[in-house]
């Protein structure tokens, strides 16, 4: 279970990971689905909260030359973020766009409790779907 937690945590940061495959593998080995769901959701949510924290911290360096976003790029991201708002975190489960969304939530100072709620909902739903798909498609292959 610790391995699933760590893979899920790393998968939620800007580093690549394969938590869905690891979750399905452990399910196939007979681990209880509810425990797997809770561990994966907790790890992945915590990893996304690391991104939120990095976004909060990084904003203080926006005037530095090495800051990865130009003032225009930051303004464009801010307009986009405030157009779609905090609800955009419901897409934090998605590959490619999910990690930057969590960083933006930090940059634009979304309250922690809202970030935790929305990210947990998104991540928990994703892992529930992965487990349902595993039960549908992998059950005959698991021995």
């Amino acid at each position: 279970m610790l391995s699933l937690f760590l893979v899920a945590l790393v998968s939620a940061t800007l580093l690549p990971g394969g938590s869905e495959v690891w979750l399905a593998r452990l399910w196939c080995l007979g681990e209880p689905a509810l425990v797997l769901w809770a561990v994966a959701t907790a790890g992945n949510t915590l990893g996304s909260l690391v991104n939120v924290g990095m976004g909060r911290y990084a904003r203080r360096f926006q005037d530095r030359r090495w800051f990865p976003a130009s003032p225009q790029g930051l303004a464009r991201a801010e307009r986009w973020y405030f157009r779609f708002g905090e609800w955009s975190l419901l897409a934090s489960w998605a590959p490619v766009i999910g990690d930057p969304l969590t960083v933006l939530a930090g940059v634009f100072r979304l309250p922690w409790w809202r970030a935790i709620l929305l990210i947990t909902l998104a991540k928990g739903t994703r892992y529930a779907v992965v487990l349902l798909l595993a039960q549908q498609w992998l059950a005959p292959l698991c021995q």
Side-chain angles (χ1 to χ4, degrees), residues 75-93:
R76 189 171 48 252
E78 190 168 20
R79 283 192 305 275
W80 183 91
Y81 184 77
F82 286 115
R83 178 177 176 199
F84 295 103
E86 62 197 45
W87 298 106
S88 65
L89 283 179
L90 291 175
S92 64
W93 65 269

Side-chain angles (χ1 to χ4, degrees), residues 21 23-31 36 131 133-143:
V21 173
L23 175 72
R25 178 187 176 277
L26 290 175
W27 177 82
C28 219
L29 292 173
E31 296 291 341
L36 291 171
L131 285 168
L133 291 173
Q135 290 174 345
Q136 283 286 325
W137 300 100
L138 292 180
L141 303 173
C142 298
Q143 301 295 336

Side-chain angles (χ1 to χ4, degrees), residues 15-135:
L15 300 171
S19 61
E20 296 85 3
V21 173
W22 200 252
L23 175 72
R25 178 187 176 277
L26 290 175
W27 177 82
C28 219
L29 292 173
E31 296 291 341
L34 186 58
V35 173
L36 291 171
W37 173 82
V39 169
T41 300
N44 211 241
T45 298
L46 183 59
S48 289
L49 293 175
V50 168
N51 292 344
V52 173
M54 287 190 321
R56 284 176 166 260
Y57 183 74
R59 183 73 186 248
R60 71 182 68 200
F61 300 110
Q62 69 186 12
D63 296 328
R64 304 278 172 86
R65 187 179 67 212
W66 50 263
F67 191 72
S70 67
Q72 297 84 5
L74 198 55
R76 189 171 48 252
E78 190 168 20
R79 283 192 305 275
W80 183 91
Y81 184 77
F82 286 115
R83 178 177 176 199
F84 295 103
E86 62 197 45
W87 298 106
S88 65
L89 283 179
L90 291 175
S92 64
W93 65 269
V96 180
I97 66 166
D99 297 340
L101 286 174
T102 58
V103 173
L104 285 177
V107 167
F108 299 122
R109 301 288 212 192
L110 180 66
W112 280 106
W113 72 270
R114 286 192 203 152
I116 292 168
L117 179 69
L118 292 169
I119 292 169
T120 302
L121 181 61
K123 305 295 185 155
T125 301
R126 176 185 60 198
Y127 287 120
V129 168
V130 168
L131 285 168
L132 287 172
L133 291 173
Q135 290 174 345

Side-chain angles (χ1 to χ4, degrees), residues 1-9 22 25-26 39:
M1 289 299 163
L2 178 60
S3 64
L4 176 61
F5 180 84
L6 293 174
V7 169
L9 187 142
W22 200 252
R25 178 187 176 277
L26 290 175
V39 169

